[in-house]
Structure formats: structure tokens, C-alpha cells
Amino acid sequence: MDLIIHCGDIVAGYVLDELREIAPVEAVYGNMDPVDLKQKLPKTKIITVGNYTVGIVHGDGRWK
């Protein structure tokens, strides 16, 4: 695996540490994440993977 993309609701910081042992991680926070993760992670993120631009967002359930 070359990259892990996590779209929030990580819930505990150690989860990111364990995922990083597998591959690099790009992540955003979700509504279930504690304050410390919300301070460390962005709400949205745009990354480039090869020739692709990827938007990462947890979402809030609103589609309009």
C-alpha cells in the first residue's frame, strides 16, 4: 500500500499512529473525533496523487 486516505471519525490518535506504520496517511477530522484530533487535522484537504487531484472531506450530511 502506498497511501492511506482517511475521511474522519478516527476517534483516537493512536489509530493514525498505527496506520502510519503501514503507509503514509492523509487524513481529515470527522464529527466523532475528539478536540485534540480536530486541532491536529484539517476539516478538508486537497492532495495530489500521481496525476490526480483528490479532495478529502468527512462531510456533514448536507448535500445542498
Side-chain angles (χ1 to χ4, degrees), residues 37-53:
L37 281 177
K38 288 180 178 181
Q39 291 173 341
K40 294 177 185 175
L41 297 172
K43 182 175 183 174
T44 63
K45 191 173 198 178
I46 297 175
I47 62 172
T48 301
V49 181
N51 294 324
Y52 298 94
T53 300

Side-chain angles (χ1 to χ4, degrees), residues 15-51:
V15 173
L16 286 176
D17 297 333
E18 290 183 4
L19 290 174
R20 288 184 181 118
E21 291 179 15
I22 299 167
V25 176
E26 296 287 350
V28 297
Y29 70 79
N31 61 301
M32 298 298 293
D33 289 321
V35 173
D36 65 314
L37 281 177
K38 288 180 178 181
Q39 291 173 341
K40 294 177 185 175
L41 297 172
K43 182 175 183 174
T44 63
K45 191 173 198 178
I46 297 175
I47 62 172
T48 301
V49 181
N51 294 324

